[in-house]
Every structure is written in C-alpha cells, then in structure tokens.
Amino acid sequence: MFRNQYDTDVTTWSPTGRLFQVEYAMEAVKQGSAAIGLRSRSHVVLACVNKAQSELSSHQRKIFKVDDHIGVAIAGLTADGRVLSRYMRSESINHSFTYESPLPVGRLVVHLADKAQVCTQRSWKRPYGVGLLVGGLDESGAHLYYNCPSGNYFEYQAFAIGSRSQAAKTYLERRFESFGDSSREDLIKDAILAVRETLQGETLKSSLCTVAILGVDEPFHFLDQEAIQKVIDTFEKVPEEEEGEGEAGEGEAEAAAAAPAEQGGGGAGDVAPMEM
C-alpha cells in the first residue's frame, strides 16, 4: 500500500525530507486500540479499550505498572510496548537502588525518547511501532507525557492515541480546562466518558475498558470491574430515567386531555387524573 523506493530502510531520506519507516511506525499507533490519559494537580488516570482479536481470545494488556508513582498506557504493537515497559521498570528500579529516591517522571521519559530515537538512526534496526502515554507523580506534581515512535515526546494535560482517538480528543478539548481542579472521582468519570467516545455507538461496559489511577498518597493501581461499572451506571441510567419520565408525562397529559372530551365537560371529577 505504502511501498516506494525510499522505504527499504529507516536511514533513507526521501527527496521531500521524510523517513517513511518512521511514518509507518506512527501509523501503527493509529491502528491500535485507543488509550487515554488525563491528569489533575494531584492524580493521573490512564484508560484503554479492551480489544480482542477474535471472539475466542482474550484481550491483551494495554496498561502497565512501572513503579508505584509511574504507569504507562500503550497503543500499537503490544509486544513493543511490553519490551519498553520492562525497560522503564528496570530504569526505575536502578535509580531507586542507586539514589534511594523515586525516579523523576521527566527523566524517565527522556531516557525512553532517546531509546526510540536510536532506532531511527540505525539501518539494522526498526522504529518501535508503539505510542506510550506515561503518567506519573513526582516532587513537581502530576505529569502526563506522550512518547512517539519518532523519538519525540510531549507533555499534555490530557491526550488520546490509537484508533478512533479523535472523538476522545474532541471530548477532552472541551473539558480540559477543568481537569486541573478535578477531584479523583470526576477525573475517572471523564476518562471513562472519553473511552465511550471512541466506541462510536457500541454500548460501554466495564469489560470493554481498563482504568488505572495514581495520585498523592495513592500508589498506582487498577480499578476493579465493579468500580468501573458503578461509574458507568451514573451516566448511562440518567438519560433512560429522564426519557421514561418524559414518556410518562406525555401519557398523563394525553389521558387528561381525552377525559373531558369523552365525558363532554369539565367537572371536579375531571381533575383527578391530573393529580395522580
């Protein structure tokens, strides 16, 4: 599909100044299942869509724990993401052993970006086909970074990667100004709502998403399915109840209007259906 004479290896530049294999790796991120991250001043929430290859298989993990204060969500080739998360875990352990203090999130992200950049400069290597949302908490506060296969990294208030992520980005762009002051519960709710935007009409269930959170005095951990379902129920049942109330109100109004017409007048007995 993308075949041309300038994509045989990663070190060959095209006449337009492009490295096609790097672009192909970035395209692999877009084809992966969606991953979402958002942060407040005290918490970071990571969420992803659980996508199975077939009805007979289980989904692959897309969120990994690096340390008590760092987690990562991936989109793209899961195998590459697993290798990079293991590298991040090793770097964090080595830093803690050497300096007896947690590894700053920004420093880990720079190490990860340098590792990805080397793969764009060696003809015998290929770029990692995975994008990583790195969320963490250190002395300077909560952080959320996106590491690109090209070796670039960016810090965000909220971001989404993977397939159908544009719908989630649109939702996050409407809401991101309030994330800084959001409570833990509101941040989780916004993350799940952003996940719902990527499903495009498919009913959201707790089995379709994974949510993890870390924050001040709260080590990185995954939310269980029951907690996720309770959050989903808070915004899935409200529209149904409002719709049911609206239909009931219309039915009462029609009954009240029909009663005087059938009885040929408006007496005291005609008012009873309106009061029920």
Side-chain angles (χ1 to χ4, degrees), residues 33-36 46-50 60-63 73-74 195 208-211:
S33 56
I36 295 161
L46 300 174
C48 69
V49 177
N50 297 335
Q60 291 181 305
R61 287 180 59 194
K62 296 289 186 179
I63 300 179
I74 67 171
V195 169
L208 291 178
C209 63
T210 300
V211 180

Side-chain angles (χ1 to χ4, degrees), residues 18-226:
R18 298 164 63 183
L19 293 172
F20 284 105
Q21 285 204 9
V22 176
E23 294 184 13
Y24 297 165
M26 296 168 68
E27 187 65 28
V29 177
K30 297 179 183 178
Q31 299 299 326
S33 56
I36 295 161
L38 56 161
R39 67 179 173 92
S40 65
R41 290 189 176 90
S42 59
H43 289 82
V44 180
V45 174
L46 300 174
C48 69
V49 177
N50 297 335
K51 185 179 180 182
Q53 293 295 324
S54 72
E55 294 182 359
L56 300 177
S57 68
S58 62
H59 66 273
Q60 291 181 305
R61 287 180 59 194
K62 296 289 186 179
I63 300 179
F64 301 92
K65 177 181 177 180
V66 176
D67 203 340
D68 285 341
H69 68 296
I70 300 176
V72 58
I74 67 171
L77 294 179
T78 308
D80 286 4
R82 189 174 61 249
V83 169
L84 289 176
S85 65
R86 187 165 60 243
Y87 165 78
M88 296 168 67
R89 197 175 297 118
S90 176
E91 288 292 305
S92 182
I93 292 172
N94 291 337
H95 185 279
S96 298
F97 179 79
T98 304
Y99 300 102
E100 297 183 357
S101 64
L103 175 61
V105 184
R107 187 178 303 175
L108 177 61
V109 168
V110 171
H111 291 334
L112 186 62
D114 290 344
K115 186 177 179 65
Q117 193 277 334
V118 169
C119 295
T120 69
Q121 228 174 347
R122 303 287 186 270
S123 61
W124 60 90
K125 294 185 177 183
R126 67 161 176 83
Y128 291 104
V130 64
L132 300 99
L133 289 175
V134 183
L137 187 73
D138 54 27
E139 294 179 351
S140 59
H143 302 278
L144 177 68
Y145 292 91
Y146 169 55
N147 277 75
C148 183
S150 64
N152 290 323
Y153 64 93
F154 309 91
E155 185 169 10
Y156 288 93
Q157 182 74 41
F159 198 55
I161 57 177
S163 62
R164 302 177 181 174
S165 61
Q166 186 55 53
K169 289 180 187 176
T170 302
Y171 172 82
L172 295 173
E173 287 168 358
R174 293 199 306 264
R175 300 272 301 169
F176 80 95
E177 292 180 353
S178 64
F179 289 162
D181 299 320
S182 292
S183 65
R184 175 185 181 277
E185 289 71 23
D186 289 340
L187 210 62
I188 293 172
K189 182 177 179 180
D190 282 318
I192 295 176
L193 284 169
V195 169
R196 186 177 67 170
E197 293 295 320
T198 67
L199 299 178
Q200 294 188 348
E202 189 176 354
T203 303
L204 177 61
K205 297 180 291 185
S206 61
S207 59
L208 291 178
C209 63
T210 300
V211 180
I213 186 170
L214 60 91
V216 177
D217 299 325
E218 185 175 8
F220 179 92
H221 66 96
F222 293 90
L223 297 185
D224 56 36
Q225 296 294 313
E226 293 181 0

